[in-house]
Amino acid sequence: MSAARRGPLLLGVRHHGPGSARAVRAALDEARPAAVLIEGPPEGDALLELAADPGMRPPVALLAHAADDPGRAAFWPLADFSPEWVAIRWAQEAGVPVRFMDLPAAHALAAAGEPDADHAEPDAVRLDPLAVLAETAGYDDPERWWEDVVEHRGTGGAGEEALGAFEALGEAMGALRDTYGDGGHHRDLVREAYMRQRMRAARREFGDGYAVVCGAWHVPALRAKTTVAADKALLTGLAKVKVETTWVPWTHRRLARAGGYGAGITSPGWYAHLFSARDRPVERWLTKVAGLLREEDRQVSSAHVIEAVRLAETLAAMRGRPLPGLTETLESVRAVMCDGSDIPLALIEDRLVVGDVLGEVPDGAPVVPLQRDLTRQQRSLRLKAEAQERELELDLRKDTDAAKSLLLHRLRLLGIGWGTPTASRSSTGTFRETWRLRWEPELSVRVAEAGIWGTTVLAAATARAEADAAAAEELGEVTALAERCLLAGLSEALPAVLRALADRAALDTDVARLAKALPALARSLRYGDVRGTDATALGAVAAGLAERICVALPPACAAGLDADAAAELRGHVDGVHGAVGLLADADDGLRERWSAVLRTLADRDTVPGVIRGRAARLLLDDGRLEAGETARLMGLALSPAASPADAAGWIEGFAGGSSGGGTLLVHDDRLLGLIDTWLVGVPERAFTDVLPLLRRTFGAYEPGVKRTLGELVRRGPAASAEAARATGSAPEGFAPDLDPERADAVTELVRMLLASPDGVAAA
């Protein structure tokens, strides 16, 4: 420590500032303190030795959470370019003690709300010191001011120069605090009182030969002369909880202010580059940009890099900046490498300016047993946690892929959303799954929370499923849970889920809820087949539910439903119809009983038109309704005695949605003629009321189908049919009669499709 310097060395920094980090190292090399105090929770002192472990690779974060409520947690993130991390590593390399000195997490987590690592007051208007200093210096952008005065200082200068810079910054912060007081950082008064207590303890142990690394805003308060009694008064009566701490991986993206981090920065990837690139940072950065663009198949040569460097330097000189900053660099990239387009520039900002670097934590870091089991499975299955989003295609016929699927489904059931199921682009078969994976640092908290359910992923997911089944209040919740249990392979949880399912189904008299629950059960039986899970008991429950629906549905559909309720039941009819198709193999009579229900719905004039029309269409598609009978039902629905709104509803139920109603009307002149005749006869006032229904029905058709229908209506469908029969002709694109030879040509292709690995060998 310099003999001319009195008192401890106070190094006020910007969190996650590479210029501050370089200056901290230079100042510590110059002063050689006997100990280093770091802004952070003292509960992390026991974990500091892990910072020197070869397996520790920033960005990482110190995680503290309440022992009895892991959801109450706070993070203290650190990157390679964080001054605090540099100070920790310097102390370890120099062999001097290093300790945290901030307010204990036990108090912070006990306080109202859930504090972040910066301990921000969510409702307070807080002063941004850097913004005030930048405005005072004539800058309209605090980031640009910080780059000019700190980040562009080369390597931070010699030791004495770095010490002088810290003195100047401390004086500036002192002037701000003299003007603005606590600047809205009210809780900092308590934190600073505790920091001063830690400094007094360090003085007793090391004299004044120690250093403090903290946010620059705190330096004036730590220099202030206060009494021990005054600080104790601020700390008296603070609430306290039991806390557990560990290190967890962090990401550059979560260091960004845009991610909601109170002490965040705008460009962590850029700052990491500035810290690691000791010379020619702009040239090296633009080379990275060129490499990224080449990976995206853009033509970028070394000449582009050279020209971009020249333009960035020219822009910096015109603006009076010592070196090109991020603004000038990105402007040169847009002009030279992106042809003025913001689309590739957005990719650069996402991948390089922010970035998806994910840190690593050594195995020796304390974790809950559940995390240890999860880590073991991740390694066994070669399922690496990555910060960048990626898609994972699984073939469930392969043992490893099936195990990955089970793990991801179990984690989702535990509330650990590492993976999200998504539609597959390559196949829609039952044996395929596609997942979108991204590991977020917050998932470490979710794992800690889920640790209360068990020490392994399987045991925890089983216990959570059983508890959810017991707590479920509605039938739909239990059926969804049963489906998730089969997807996750939780055979031990199924008995409890099925008991809850049977209990809820027996007491539930709402046919809509019963109908809503059945499709999930039918899907679950299919998943059981695919994953080799015994779902016999589930099939019995599903069959009983289907029987109750067959009995209760007709009366429910004739109970004076309004339009919204009728539309909802129409959707349930579709869902039950699909479920019956899946269940019919196990119950030969179920399909017949369901067809009888549909026939009842189609015939009763007291049933809303949208449901009658849908029932008729489903019967027609299954071959259980002749074309002539279909025309009769349509004629009755569209007769003058029917209200226009009910008739329009019948059309919507019969020909709407994705059921191919447009194609049916193209090929059946009688049905199209009935609709055309009814539509022409609708009174003007009633037509305005039914127009939205008709537009919703016909607007969903493919453009080609709509054009063909328009042409048929223009010529008159009945006339067209008569002319076709008389002349042997047909509308353009259609033959007057079926060509058996051409029809037989597709049978072999259909047989191959049905016998494909992703389908069911039914041919």
Side-chain angles (χ1 to χ4, degrees):
M1 183 80 67
S2 173
R5 191 176 307 281
R6 299 180 60 184
L9 176 63
L10 300 183
L11 303 180
V13 301
R14 183 191 188 186
H15 301 300
H16 318 307
S20 287
R22 287 191 296 267
V24 162
R25 176 169 284 280
L28 293 175
D29 284 338
E30 175 70 18
R32 308 302 298 182
V36 179
L37 303 184
I38 308 290
E39 182 180 330
E43 291 95 338
D45 284 352
L47 302 175
L48 280 171
E49 63 180 18
L50 287 172
D53 192 295
M56 181 74 85
R57 298 180 182 177
V60 294
L62 187 66
L63 164 64
H65 63 81
D68 59 350
D69 182 10
R72 298 177 64 185
F75 297 97
W76 284 261
L78 296 169
D80 275 324
F81 52 86
S82 299
E84 298 88 346
W85 182 261
V86 169
I88 291 170
R89 296 295 294 120
W90 182 92
Q92 291 172 330
E93 292 166 5
V96 302
V98 56
R99 299 165 186 168
F100 286 120
M101 63 176 295
D102 204 347
L103 185 72
H107 298 308
L109 293 176
E114 293 186 0
D116 60 17
D118 197 40
H119 307 286
E121 292 282 359
D123 298 326
V125 178
R126 299 185 58 170
L127 176 73
D128 182 351
L130 295 186
V132 176
L133 292 176
E135 184 178 1
T136 304
Y139 284 73
D140 59 359
D141 183 357
E143 294 292 330
R144 193 166 76 246
W145 173 79
W146 181 260
E147 282 193 347
D148 286 353
V149 300
V150 178
E151 303 308 334
H152 293 159
R153 294 177 60 87
T155 60
E160 284 296 332
E161 182 182 351
L163 291 172
F166 283 117
E167 289 288 339
L169 186 57
E171 291 176 4
M173 291 298 171
L176 287 178
R177 294 196 73 149
D178 288 342
T179 303
Y180 297 100
D182 61 22
H185 303 244
H186 307 307
R187 293 178 57 199
D188 284 351
L189 300 179
V190 177
R191 296 174 58 203
E192 289 158 354
Y194 187 85
M195 290 182 193
R196 287 190 293 265
Q197 284 196 343
R198 296 282 283 188
M199 290 173 66
R200 293 184 185 104
R203 184 178 296 113
R204 290 192 295 270
E205 187 174 356
F206 305 106
D208 284 338
Y210 65 93
V212 171
V213 179
C214 63
W217 177 255
H218 303 300
V219 169
L222 301 186
R223 282 179 177 163
K225 300 296 183 181
T226 61
T227 66
V228 174
D231 287 342
K232 282 185 176 180
L234 286 172
L235 297 170
T236 299
L238 292 179
K240 189 176 182 180
V241 296
K242 185 179 179 181
V243 167
E244 295 178 355
T245 57
T246 187
W247 289 105
V248 296
W250 205 253
T251 68
H252 277 174
R253 190 171 300 279
R254 295 300 294 169
L255 283 171
R257 185 179 298 124
Y261 173 37
I265 51 180
T266 59
S267 49
W270 166 255
Y271 273 9
H273 171 77
L274 290 181
F275 186 70
S276 62
R278 300 288 176 159
D279 65 318
R280 306 176 73 88
V282 175
E283 290 87 340
R284 295 180 186 278
W285 173 262
L286 290 172
T287 301
K288 284 185 180 180
V289 171
L292 175 62
L293 293 176
R294 288 178 189 136
E295 290 175 0
E296 298 297 320
D297 294 328
R298 293 187 68 89
Q299 300 298 317
V300 180
S301 67
S302 56
H304 286 90
V305 177
I306 295 171
E307 186 58 33
V309 171
R310 289 175 179 169
L311 179 55
E313 292 175 344
T314 301
L315 290 172
M318 292 174 58
R319 295 167 181 172
R321 306 193 68 183
L323 287 173
L326 181 60
T327 301
E328 289 75 26
T329 305
L330 290 180
E331 287 179 3
S332 68
V333 167
R334 180 194 285 111
V336 177
M337 298 184 183
C338 301
D339 300 322
S341 173
D342 287 334
I343 296 177
L345 189 68
L347 176 68
I348 294 166
E349 291 176 334
D350 182 69
R351 298 277 185 87
L352 297 181
V353 176
V354 177
D356 283 307
V357 176
L358 177 66
E360 296 182 13
V361 172
D363 293 338
V367 294
V368 296
L370 180 63
Q371 177 67 68
R372 192 173 295 112
D373 180 63
L374 174 57
T375 301
R376 179 189 62 78
Q377 292 195 52
Q378 287 173 325
R379 291 176 179 171
S380 174
L381 297 174
R382 300 179 184 271
L383 201 55
K384 186 177 180 180
E386 296 176 330
Q388 187 171 349
E389 185 175 278
R390 66 186 179 97
E391 281 196 355
L392 177 68
E393 293 277 353
L394 299 178
D395 184 342
L396 302 182
R397 294 166 296 184
K398 300 178 180 178
D399 292 342
T400 301
D401 282 8
K404 290 177 181 179
S405 172
L406 292 177
L407 175 62
L408 293 171
H409 279 295
R410 289 168 183 172
L411 291 175
R412 276 176 58 82
L413 198 147
L414 287 168
I416 304 169
W418 178 19
T420 303
T422 185
S424 176
R425 292 176 296 180
S426 59
S427 172
T428 58
T430 308
F431 291 94
R432 302 284 182 180
E433 270 188 359
T434 302
W435 291 82
R436 186 173 291 116
L437 302 182
R438 168 178 279 179
W439 184 267
E440 298 283 1
E442 289 84 353
L443 294 178
S444 298
V445 177
R446 304 284 83 79
V447 175
E449 287 181 303
I452 64 173
W453 297 107
T455 58
T456 67
V457 175
L458 174 59
T462 299
R464 175 65 184 271
E466 292 173 344
D468 287 350
E473 297 181 355
E474 295 186 1
L475 178 62
E477 296 178 44
V478 190
T479 54
L481 182 60
E483 184 175 8
R484 296 175 70 185
C485 284
L486 282 170
L487 287 169
L490 303 180
S491 56
E492 293 186 7
L494 273 179
V497 175
L498 290 176
R499 283 195 300 271
L501 179 60
D503 292 344
R504 303 301 185 281
L507 297 175
D508 204 325
T509 58
D510 188 328
V511 70
R513 287 199 293 265
L514 296 175
K516 185 178 180 181
L518 184 62
L521 293 181
R523 289 193 304 269
S524 298
L525 291 171
R526 180 183 62 174
Y527 297 142
D529 291 340
V530 173
R531 297 163 192 271
T533 305
D534 185 5
T536 305
L538 188 63
V541 175
L545 203 62
E547 291 290 349
R548 292 184 59 195
I549 292 170
C550 288
V551 173
L553 187 60
C557 291
L561 301 174
D562 60 20
D564 292 338
E568 181 184 357
L569 266 182
R570 173 254 176 114
H572 291 321
V573 168
D574 277 341
V576 173
H577 186 74
V580 167
L582 295 173
L583 298 173
D585 292 338
D587 186 347
D588 295 336
L590 179 59
R591 193 185 299 275
E592 295 297 329
R593 292 191 291 276
W594 174 245
S595 295
V597 171
L598 290 178
R599 186 60 196 237
T600 299
L601 295 177
D603 285 338
R604 284 187 181 175
D605 56 7
T606 56
V607 173
V610 68
I611 298 176
R612 282 187 285 124
R614 193 64 192 152
R617 180 57 194 275
L618 294 175
L619 288 169
L620 179 65
D621 289 345
D622 281 354
R624 295 177 179 272
L625 197 64
E626 297 293 336
E629 180 64 10
T630 303
R632 184 187 70 81
L633 291 174
M634 180 180 284
L636 292 174
L638 305 184
S639 68
S643 70
D646 192 65
W650 196 98
I651 295 174
E652 182 187 9
F654 182 85
S658 57
S659 56
T663 304
L664 176 67
L665 296 179
V666 165
H667 291 284
D668 196 315
D669 292 316
R670 288 180 299 172
L671 300 182
L672 179 58
L674 287 169
I675 293 176
D676 184 36
T677 301
W678 170 80
L679 188 58
V680 171
V682 173
E684 181 178 353
R685 181 177 301 177
F687 183 81
T688 304
D689 295 333
V690 302
L691 182 58
L693 285 174
L694 297 174
R695 179 174 291 170
R696 184 168 60 195
T697 300
F698 297 110
Y701 292 167
E702 293 290 335
V705 171
K706 288 191 282 190
R707 281 195 303 271
T708 303
L709 287 175
E711 179 64 23
L712 289 173
V713 171
R714 184 184 66 81
R715 292 185 295 181
S720 298
E722 186 64 32
R725 285 191 294 271
T727 63
S729 63
E732 183 178 355
F734 297 95
D737 298 306
L738 177 67
D739 185 336
E741 184 176 350
R742 296 183 64 188
D744 289 342
V746 304
T747 56
E748 185 60 30
L749 176 60
V750 171
R751 184 177 292 106
M752 292 173 61
L753 290 173
L754 292 175
S756 68
D758 292 328
V760 179

